[in-house]
Amino acid sequence: MANYVPALDRLVEEFRKMPSIGTKSAERLAFYVLSLKDKEIQSLIDAITNAHDKIHQCKICKNLTENEICTICASGKRDRSVICVVSDPRDVVALEKTHEYRGLYHVLHGVISPMNGVGPEQLTIKDLMSRLSDNTVKEIIMATDPTIEGEATAMYISRLLKPFDITVTRLAYGIPVGAELEYADEVTLSRALEWRREI
Amino acid sequence: MANYVPALDRLVEEFRKMPSIGTKSAERLAFYVLSLKDKEIQSLIDAITNAHDKIHQCKICKNLTENEICTICASGKRDRSVICVVSDPRDVVALEKTHEYRGLYHVLHGVISPMNGVGPEQLTIKDLMSRLSDNTVKEIIMATDPTIEGEATAMYISRLLKPFDITVTRLAYGIPVGAELEYADEVTLSRALEWRREI
């Protein structure tokens, strides 16, 4: 990649740092940027600066927001007795799309992962605990990813919640709706059997 | 995608405009940008502005450069009697990697494509013709992509070159037909240069 002009090499390098962008994609993006008109470049840069400057974590739930408190926490229509704990802001978006959940959220911004040097203190667990002091919260739904690290994080937090008079629940495991049974992995199938319900 | 904060939505939109970036990738890139520190954001923005401001076409060969004349055209070590005609600056990089070619280049910035409304006048064909007036050029290698449009462009240009006392050659079909030049490996490209034939 030292064959281009320096300014181009540098731009390719910047794009290569981005997640799931390899050299070829980075080159494609760099050439795309070169093809942009002044106005389009400005729009791209504005969007980057704007997002960087305006977006921060909600004071309460740590979800991303442009305000001090996010729209979900600020809403009068949400059930304040339930908190759904997720690892990533994208999970909030996914859950909101169901239109089924009316409670609040808490975004951990990661999962406990000793392999990657992420301990409980790097997550927003303390902020979650401080939300419980006024006894409004009756249920906490652990909605971390069903991965080893997601599980471990859910277990860790639920242990911390033991002393409180709070019901701690976990999203159901099972076969994804629309999937074919024969392609489900054994762990998922075992869980689906274990979590079966009377109909 | 109307579930995020506006500044984030806008950033995702900007990334979605980029080639081969879908919604999920755009979201991933936007979250990556949000995770950057002030200094890293500045470095990204600088790289974009810098590339946009500094890079333009070489006065002679229309390849990308930061100077008035690109390093290849300015070099005293290149064979000025041969011009290799390519459609894209990335093709120059690919050919340079073979270390086989010592001549000059001419970048068309596209191929003739009536389907996409690209006619000969949108390409740098006139600039190529004006490079032939001093009779230094003895051979022109047509190295457009071995696609229908690349072929048509090569044929079009070689017809224009008929009146001149210039040998017009075409890269040999060492290049897999239907592939894009920039993805060809160096050995294949070297062979293609070695086996070029008069057309």
Side-chain angles (χ1 to χ4, degrees), chain B residues 8-79:
Chain B
L8 185 53
D9 282 340
R10 206 189 130 192
L11 186 57
V12 171
E13 249 342 287
E14 284 292 335
F15 281 123
R16 273 197 55 193
K17 290 181 197 164
M18 297 187 174
S20 63
I21 301 290
T23 306
K24 278 285 162 202
S25 306
E27 283 179 28
R28 209 179 296 123
L29 296 181
F31 276 98
Y32 162 81
V33 166
L34 287 185
S35 77
L36 293 179
K37 291 179 185 66
D38 285 358
K39 227 180 103 183
E40 294 166 325
I41 281 282
Q42 206 44 57
S43 160
L44 172 62
I45 288 173
D46 285 352
I48 293 172
T49 357
N50 202 39
H52 183 67
D53 293 347
K54 284 199 185 160
I55 299 171
H56 49 253
Q57 293 179 8
C58 166
K59 226 177 150 181
I60 300 171
C61 74
K62 305 298 164 187
N63 191 9
L64 299 177
T65 179
E66 290 182 21
N67 312 311
E68 200 185 3
I69 288 166
C70 77
T71 46
I72 295 173
C73 285
S75 165
K77 290 178 183 164
R78 311 292 301 217
D79 178 355

Side-chain angles (χ1 to χ4, degrees), chain A residues 4-7 10 14 17-18 20 24 28 31-32 36 38 41 43 46 52 64-66 90 93, chain B residues 4 6-7 10 14 17-18 20 28 31-32 36 38 41 43 46 52 64-66 90 93 182-183:
Chain A
Y4 287 126
V5 273
R10 206 187 131 194
E14 285 291 334
K17 291 182 196 163
M18 297 189 174
S20 61
K24 276 288 163 199
R28 208 178 297 121
F31 276 97
Y32 163 80
L36 293 179
D38 285 359
I41 281 281
S43 160
D46 285 352
H52 183 68
L64 299 177
T65 178
E66 288 182 25
R90 275 167 282 193
V93 177
Chain B
Y4 287 126
R10 206 189 130 192
E14 284 292 335
K17 290 181 197 164
M18 297 187 174
S20 63
R28 209 179 296 123
F31 276 98
Y32 162 81
L36 293 179
D38 285 358
I41 281 282
S43 160
D46 285 352
H52 183 67
L64 299 177
T65 179
E66 290 182 21
R90 277 167 282 193
V93 178
E182 59 162 316
Y183 291 104

